[in-house]
Amino acid sequence: MKQLASLLWAEMVKEHRHSFHSKMVYFSLLIWPAIMFVTAYYSFAPFRLGADSPLARFLSPEQLPLFLLTGYLGYIFFWCLVQSAWQMSFERQAGTMEMIFISPVNRLAFLYGRSLSSLVEGVWLFFCFTMLALLFVGGVHLSGWWAVPLAFVVLLGSAIVWGGFLSVLFLFSRDSSFLYTVLDEPMLIFSGVRLPPMAYPLWAKAISFCFPLTYALQLVRGLLMEGASLASLLPELALLVGVLLVLVMATVLLLKKAERHMKETGNMVMY
């Protein structure tokens, strides 16, 4: 346990020094997502947003700012880990990631620790901005004090599991740029960040439910926007837990397969 904690701390320090060598990086952590939120909000401005608008079939117009805030907060949680996993692919090409197999520590813990460090560094500033914005936007309905921390735990846990899965995919991929294209932009478009998934045609809905972010945002918005009770959210919570368990099992299987492949061929690239 002590060795595992030491590894997680060392990985966090390494990631911090590598990614946050300039104070301007901290500035961009707020400005970039805030600009995305403002741009998305005012892209709706030229259109009719009243009770008779097409959007009103899926979303109350007064809840649009909160809908977009929660959407972009969730997206940034997941986007940070797509970026972290992509960076891992470059470390593999540079020959530094062989340590994941040479080191005696738990490899799964290494991947999730890396995901956690990237997540903490990448989202804390916009998370604070979102919490502050919640005081000024309408549409917030909470069924209890526990709704906000539970929403945070849902985003945190699902993002870390997603990050561990992506790290394995990117680590052993020959062409990670393809995976980045497939897993980043479609997640932004289809996961309900800017529009409710139910507003999409059937083929787009099918794509949206390939991403854990879709399930996480449904839970977060149920907690913050609908004032849903924990009992009413249990089916959706169970569905999200099931999706995350599938990702954990896939991560473990890919790690074991990659280890066998490396021992047999001496090559970390599987596909």
Side-chain angles (χ1 to χ4, degrees):
M1 182 62 68
K2 184 178 180 181
Q3 186 182 30
L4 177 59
S6 177
L7 172 66
L8 295 180
W9 176 255
E11 185 63 26
M12 290 184 69
V13 171
K14 174 188 171 184
E15 283 290 302
H16 181 80
R17 290 176 178 174
H18 178 75
S19 304
F20 292 81
H21 52 276
S22 170
K23 292 181 179 180
M24 291 301 295
V25 175
Y26 293 99
F27 183 70
S28 69
L29 291 178
L30 175 61
I31 294 301
W32 168 74
I35 289 176
M36 290 181 66
F37 161 69
V38 171
T39 301
Y41 178 75
Y42 283 100
S43 67
F44 287 94
F47 302 99
R48 186 163 43 92
L49 295 177
D52 58 341
S53 70
L55 184 64
R57 295 171 51 200
F58 308 100
L59 175 68
S60 174
E62 60 268 16
Q63 287 188 317
L64 179 60
L66 180 59
F67 179 87
L68 292 174
L69 270 175
T70 53
Y72 274 100
L73 179 64
Y75 170 69
I76 290 167
F77 265 73
F78 281 71
W79 175 86
C80 284
L81 297 180
V82 175
Q83 292 285 321
S84 174
W86 196 24
Q87 181 63 38
M88 181 174 280
S89 71
F90 294 115
E91 293 187 24
R92 173 189 60 79
Q93 295 171 13
T96 60
M97 287 310 299
E98 283 82 351
M99 290 300 297
I100 193 174
F101 291 114
I102 298 173
S103 174
V105 299
N106 186 289
R107 299 181 184 100
L108 196 62
F110 175 86
L111 294 175
Y112 288 145
R114 181 188 175 95
S115 298
L116 178 60
S117 77
S118 300
L119 190 60
V120 170
E121 293 173 340
V123 305
W124 70 270
L125 199 53
F126 188 72
F127 178 80
C128 293
F129 166 77
T130 302
M131 292 298 101
L132 182 63
L134 288 179
L135 301 176
F136 301 98
V137 299
V140 179
H141 299 290
L142 305 177
S143 59
W145 63 267
W146 46 267
V148 173
L150 180 57
F152 174 74
V153 169
V154 165
L155 282 179
L156 183 68
S158 56
I160 290 174
V161 172
W162 175 246
F165 174 68
L166 290 187
S167 293
V168 175
L169 287 182
F170 281 55
L171 178 59
F172 303 111
S173 170
R174 187 182 302 275
D175 184 9
S176 298
S177 60
F178 168 75
L179 287 172
Y180 180 83
T181 303
V182 168
L183 294 171
D184 183 54
E185 192 65 24
M187 184 171 63
L188 172 62
I189 296 172
F190 296 113
S191 291
V193 175
R194 295 182 291 206
L195 283 173
M198 298 307 297
Y200 291 123
L202 184 60
W203 64 269
K205 291 177 185 175
I207 295 176
S208 72
F209 287 105
C210 295
F211 298 102
L213 176 58
T214 305
Y215 307 95
L217 284 179
Q218 286 181 340
L219 279 167
V220 168
R221 286 166 174 157
L223 289 166
L224 301 183
M225 296 174 58
E226 301 170 11
S229 65
L230 185 57
S232 65
L233 290 175
L234 281 179
E236 294 182 8
L237 185 59
L239 180 60
L240 176 62
V241 170
V243 170
L244 296 182
L245 286 176
V246 170
L247 287 178
V248 171
M249 289 188 290
T251 303
V252 172
L253 290 175
L254 282 171
L255 270 176
K256 290 182 178 179
K257 182 177 180 180
E259 184 174 8
R260 289 195 302 267
H261 176 79
M262 186 179 179
K263 288 179 179 178
E264 293 171 0
T265 67
N267 187 1
M268 291 186 67
V269 178
M270 288 200 303
Y271 54 94

